[in-house]
Amino acid sequence: MITLLGGIGLLILGYIFYGSYIEKNFQIKPDRVTPAKALRDGYDFVPMSKSKNAIIELLNIAGTGPIFGPIMGALYGPVAYLWIVLGCIFAGGVHDYMIGMISLRNNGAHLPELASKYLGKPVKHIVNIFAMLLLLLVATVFVSSPANLIADITPSWMTVGIITVLIFIYYLISTVLPIDKALGKVFPIFGAILIISTAAIGVSLLFSGYSIPNINVQTMNNFHPEGTAIFPALFFTISCGALSGFHATQAPMVSRTTEGEKEGRFTFYGMMIGEGVIAMIWAAASMTLFDGQTLNGMINAGTPSAVVNEVSINLLGNVVGTIAIIGVIVLPISSGLSAFRSCRTILADYIGMKQDKIKKILMVAVPLFAISFVLTQIDFNILWRYFNWANQVTAVISLLVSTRYLFLKERNYFVTFIPGALMLYACIVYIISEPIGLQMGLTPLSYTLGVVLTLGILWLFWRTGLKQKSALSPNSQFINDQWPIKSFTKSKEASDVGKS
């Protein structure tokens, strides 16, 4: 109990103190015109209130990640708490804030455009591929997981297949609506269900007489039933609850509806902290109610949805427990919708198809839905592994974009460089060792090769950064984020930077 409450307390303190430092380091301009006002189009660029933006951001980034991830992370034991707390404060919160705010300074641009501007034009194509791959995997995972949850609490004739089709129909209808209608109207309701149900799980866990595992000398070991090593697997198991590249695809959507830069810390950093609190509660509940073997068996039998059902019913009873399950269901449905919306806009920007008519929207959206529907037929656990790796590679790219931005501004860039370098190393070791990659296993050679490749990439990143900075004048539009970015990108200076 002490670790759970202490961890949540640290998350709140992290928001108050470290979040304030990150905001100060970014140097917000409260009076600066935001894309929501400057580019208002009534569809994607629409000013919305701080509270609506915050709840949309929370639901966009959450999905089943801060629930399914911590459930699977609970297999490692209380050490999972450390990654959630430290990851949220020093990596995830910083990652989300920086990308959201950099997008705010760049016409609400998505990650591929930001990567092109700050890392060089050739990188844009790589990031586009990763971003669209990630979003398709996210959308698919976030269709499969709620379909399984709904099937568990509905009559037998409501099969997973039928529910999957119904979710896709809902997505198709919602994706052609303006953002303030598709998200602004229903997400506050979804958010209320999520917050109330999560709080109910947490309170019941604290006062139901259970012995909640704490971190101490004895519990700092790896308790995974299959002996899976903590590093790098834990970093990929608990991603959305600590650090997630998926968030870099969602923050730009909210940057297009934000009315002022002063809202950024609460909307971007704060909602990541909120996701960390959700992750702490579900990790604690999973460790408390099940031993490792039982938990592992339930997960391997299908998806972590069985654990969600058991935890909710055991702690809250049939009626309130079912409401809590509904709270979990709205997470992936809302995130899946926003994933498709982001994927559509990224692809449309890439191929140059303006999304100003329903026909053009459907021309991009329908093929994406068809691909995702085919992917739903693949085993969930396999999808989750690929999703997690693509997710964390995207996080690395986002942190490198943020580092370059701060470097060019002559601010403290170590706040993004250190978590970026650590996650880069984890991504390389993971793809070298895991079955989805080179299958070399976690050997000294894997770790050594990971170090060499990481240092090589970081050296290249440093060299191109120095070249990029030397090509810019201190008062350049590029450095000062002057409006309008779109016309500016046609200038010679922008062209020269893109070649760095």
Side-chain angles (χ1 to χ4, degrees):
M1 180 184 296
I2 294 176
T3 300
L4 173 60
L5 294 176
I8 292 174
L10 286 174
L11 287 169
I12 295 171
L13 290 173
Y15 169 74
I16 295 171
F17 295 105
Y18 197 64
S20 295
Y21 173 74
I22 294 301
E23 179 184 60
K24 183 179 179 180
N25 189 53
F26 183 81
Q27 296 182 10
I28 63 169
K29 299 176 182 177
D31 298 328
R32 182 184 171 88
V33 178
T34 63
K37 297 175 181 178
L39 301 174
R40 185 168 186 165
D41 63 2
Y43 189 76
D44 288 315
F45 294 87
V46 181
M48 290 198 292
S49 67
K50 176 182 175 180
S51 58
K52 276 191 177 181
N53 282 324
I55 203 66
I56 288 172
E57 173 71 5
L58 177 62
L59 290 174
N60 280 1
I61 66 176
T64 47
I67 297 174
F68 280 20
I71 286 173
M72 291 188 281
L75 293 171
Y76 292 91
V79 70
Y81 292 137
L82 289 177
W83 173 230
I84 295 172
V85 174
L86 297 178
C88 276
I89 295 172
F90 297 106
V94 181
H95 168 280
D96 292 12
Y97 178 82
M98 287 301 302
I99 288 298
M101 295 302 291
I102 295 172
S103 176
L104 200 68
R105 292 276 177 94
N106 287 272
N107 282 353
H110 280 289
L111 181 60
E113 293 295 330
L114 297 178
S116 175
K117 179 177 179 179
Y118 294 104
L119 300 182
K121 288 184 179 180
V123 180
K124 176 181 178 179
H125 305 295
I126 299 172
V127 178
N128 260 302
I129 293 170
F130 263 104
M132 287 187 285
L133 171 64
L134 171 62
L135 287 166
L136 276 174
L137 289 172
V138 167
T140 304
V141 167
F142 291 168
V143 167
S144 299
S145 52
N148 280 284
L149 285 166
I150 294 171
D152 288 339
I153 60 173
T154 53
S156 58
W157 60 268
M158 283 288 286
T159 64
V160 172
I162 292 174
I163 297 167
T164 298
V165 171
L166 292 175
I167 293 174
F168 272 115
I169 292 173
Y170 166 69
Y171 284 167
L172 187 60
I173 294 171
S174 297
T175 198
V176 300
L177 296 174
I179 191 167
D180 58 331
K181 302 295 189 299
L183 307 185
K185 297 294 185 184
V186 297
F187 273 33
I189 299 172
F190 287 174
I193 296 172
L194 164 66
I195 293 169
I196 293 171
S197 60
T198 302
I201 291 286
V203 171
S204 180
L205 185 63
L206 291 172
F207 295 100
S208 294
Y210 289 101
S211 177
I212 304 173
N214 290 308
I215 291 180
N216 53 47
V217 176
Q218 288 75 33
T219 59
M220 278 294 288
N221 296 322
N222 180 3
F223 290 95
H224 200 292
E226 297 177 2
T228 305
I230 292 174
F231 184 87
L234 183 59
F235 285 38
F236 295 86
T237 303
I238 302 177
S239 52
C240 289
L243 170 65
S244 170
F246 171 60
H247 300 184
T249 68
Q250 302 305 296
M253 276 206 308
V254 178
S255 77
R256 297 180 177 194
T257 60
T258 300
E259 294 186 294
E261 291 193 357
K262 196 172 182 179
E263 299 174 7
R265 182 162 71 97
F266 181 73
T267 301
F268 300 118
Y269 194 102
M271 292 308 102
M272 183 63 224
I273 294 298
E275 189 173 77
V277 173
I278 295 172
M280 286 290 290
I281 290 172
W282 278 97
S286 302
M287 292 179 211
T288 303
L289 269 64
F290 309 102
D291 62 75
Q293 291 293 341
T294 302
L295 188 61
N296 195 43
M298 295 171 72
I299 294 170
N300 289 336
T303 73
S305 60
V307 180
V308 172
N309 288 342
E310 288 291 327
V311 168
S312 300
I313 300 301
N314 283 343
L315 290 177
L316 303 177
N318 290 328
V319 177
V320 181
T322 300
I323 296 174
I325 294 169
I326 293 172
V328 176
I329 290 170
V330 302
L331 277 173
I333 289 180
S334 57
S335 290
L337 169 59
S338 59
F340 275 122
R341 195 179 187 96
S342 295
C343 194
R344 173 181 60 76
T345 54
I346 289 174
L347 180 57
D349 287 348
Y350 191 56
I351 63 177
M353 181 180 288
K354 191 173 181 180
Q355 299 288 276
D356 56 349
K357 295 181 180 178
I358 292 180
K359 180 181 178 181
K360 292 181 179 179
I361 292 171
L362 293 177
M363 286 175 65
V364 179
V366 171
L368 295 175
F369 287 143
I371 294 171
S372 181
F373 183 79
V374 172
L375 290 175
T376 61
Q377 309 307 306
I378 299 174
D379 179 72
F380 174 87
N381 290 316
I382 294 175
L383 278 177
W384 187 266
R385 293 188 192 102
Y386 280 101
F387 152 65
N388 276 332
W389 185 74
N391 188 30
Q392 299 304 56
V393 170
T394 306
V396 171
I397 294 169
S398 304
L399 288 166
L400 292 181
V401 167
S402 302
T403 300
R404 182 64 59 81
Y405 178 90
L406 293 173
F407 174 72
L408 294 175
K409 297 272 191 176
E410 297 185 344
R411 315 264 174 78
N412 177 9
Y413 55 86
F414 287 103
V415 295
T416 51
F417 178 76
I418 292 174
L422 176 62
M423 188 51 67
L424 173 61
Y425 178 60
C427 286
I428 292 174
V429 172
Y430 189 84
I431 202 65
I432 289 173
S433 61
E434 289 293 311
I436 67 169
L438 300 181
Q439 304 182 39
M440 290 176 58
L442 291 173
T443 64
L445 177 60
S446 300
Y447 288 120
T448 304
L449 187 57
V451 170
V452 172
L453 291 174
T454 299
L455 292 176
I457 293 172
L458 293 178
W459 177 83
L460 181 63
F461 172 72
W462 177 252
R463 292 288 298 175
T464 56
L466 291 174
K467 180 181 178 182
Q468 186 178 28
K469 190 172 184 178
S470 66
L472 299 174
S473 64
N475 296 318
S476 70
Q477 291 176 313
F478 187 88
I479 293 295
N480 294 319
D481 299 319
Q482 293 177 0
W483 293 97
I485 299 298
K486 289 183 178 179
S487 63
F488 162 68
T489 55
K490 298 176 182 178
S491 72
K492 181 180 185 300
E493 184 179 44
S495 177
D496 290 342
V497 169
K499 295 175 183 177
S500 66

